Amino acid sequence: MFSREGILSLLISVPGLLLAITFHEFAHGYAAYLMGDRTAKYDGRLSLNPLRHLDPIGALCMLFFRFGWAKPVPINPYNFKKQRLGIITVSLAGPFANFILGLLSCIIFYLVAFFTEPDSNFGIFILEVLRYSTIMNTGLMIFNLIPIPPLDGSKVLMEFLPPKAKYSVYRYERYFGIILLLVVYLGTLTPILSTLQGYVLSFYEFVSYKLVMLFM
């Protein structure tokens, strides 16, 4: 059973989750559009409506494990003006969007913390929402950079593989997806991912603190 604090923590983390997933997938679709592919647009995925991008299992993993994924945006790489560059750009666009959102959330967190009354209930609520937004965006970014299909990192890696190896990866992609679910469930990668997340969060805090000091 969840405690009252646990349920409250989950509820507060929902805005950050929706923000992270929505902008991650929107960035994929918009990058594809800029590279010449309109598949995502025709599919209605150039949208900031979170319901168009949610993957139920991936969202639950984000809520409970702080690492997860969204519903993949459909793309047709044959429409890209430069196919290899297009695939790499589109694959990295989602994690990059999360990196920017995580940093912005952290900066705003520091601004609110410095200029809000410490005993303000509203201020505390906003701080918690921003804190979880920072964590969710960082988690989604790091997890999707793992070079295991079908995550974004694997698509970048495959562009540097020999054709035969690339074909083998695509052929067995569904099995890699099952392996990925098992790895998430067993927590095999959690220590590594948590360590990487800690480094990114430390960078966010350093930048945010330096920026806030400029306003003091």
Side-chain angles (χ1 to χ4, degrees), residues 2-213:
F2 287 110
S3 65
R4 181 175 177 274
E5 290 75 15
I7 294 174
L8 182 61
S9 175
L10 285 175
L11 291 176
I12 292 176
S13 65
V14 167
L17 168 68
L18 296 179
L19 184 71
I21 286 176
T22 301
F23 277 87
H24 180 100
E25 296 304 326
F26 175 81
H28 280 315
Y30 190 64
Y33 179 81
L34 293 178
M35 298 300 292
D37 177 35
R38 300 192 175 189
T39 306
K41 181 180 180 180
Y42 296 148
D43 196 54
R45 299 298 298 278
L46 291 188
S47 169
L48 295 178
N49 179 359
L51 297 179
R52 291 189 177 274
H53 306 296
L54 279 178
D55 177 280
I57 297 177
L60 288 174
C61 286
M62 280 287 291
L63 281 174
F64 293 104
F65 303 112
R66 301 299 183 242
F67 302 102
W69 59 92
K71 185 166 63 175
V73 167
I75 66 167
N76 184 351
Y78 294 105
N79 291 329
F80 293 149
K81 300 166 188 175
K82 296 181 179 180
Q83 187 171 324
R84 188 182 189 190
L85 177 63
I87 292 173
I88 293 173
T89 300
V90 171
S91 299
L92 294 178
F96 181 71
N98 291 130
F99 175 81
I100 297 300
L101 281 174
L103 179 58
L104 287 175
S105 296
C106 191
I107 291 172
I108 298 171
F109 176 94
Y110 269 75
L111 288 172
V112 173
F114 271 90
F115 297 107
T116 304
E117 292 294 331
D119 58 347
S120 167
N121 290 331
F122 179 74
I124 293 172
F125 172 77
I126 294 298
L127 286 175
E128 283 297 291
V129 170
L130 290 168
R131 183 171 73 87
Y132 276 107
S133 177
T134 304
I135 293 172
M136 291 291 181
N137 275 286
T138 309
L140 191 61
M141 175 191 71
I142 292 173
F143 186 79
N144 275 276
L145 287 175
I146 297 174
I148 299 177
L151 299 177
D152 299 327
S154 69
K155 295 178 176 62
V156 176
L157 175 64
M158 282 192 284
E159 291 307 304
F160 296 95
L161 293 177
K164 188 175 181 179
K166 186 176 179 180
Y167 171 77
S168 296
V169 173
Y170 276 122
R171 183 180 179 185
Y172 297 106
E173 185 171 4
R174 70 178 69 180
Y175 301 108
F176 281 110
I178 295 172
I179 293 171
L180 180 64
L181 285 175
L182 288 174
V183 166
V184 171
Y185 177 75
L186 296 174
T188 306
L189 291 176
T190 300
I192 298 174
L193 296 176
S194 296
T195 299
L196 292 174
Q197 189 174 34
Y199 287 135
V200 176
L201 291 174
S202 295
F203 171 75
Y204 284 168
E205 291 172 359
F206 173 79
V207 173
S208 300
Y209 180 78
K210 291 296 184 180
L211 287 176
V212 169
M213 286 299 100

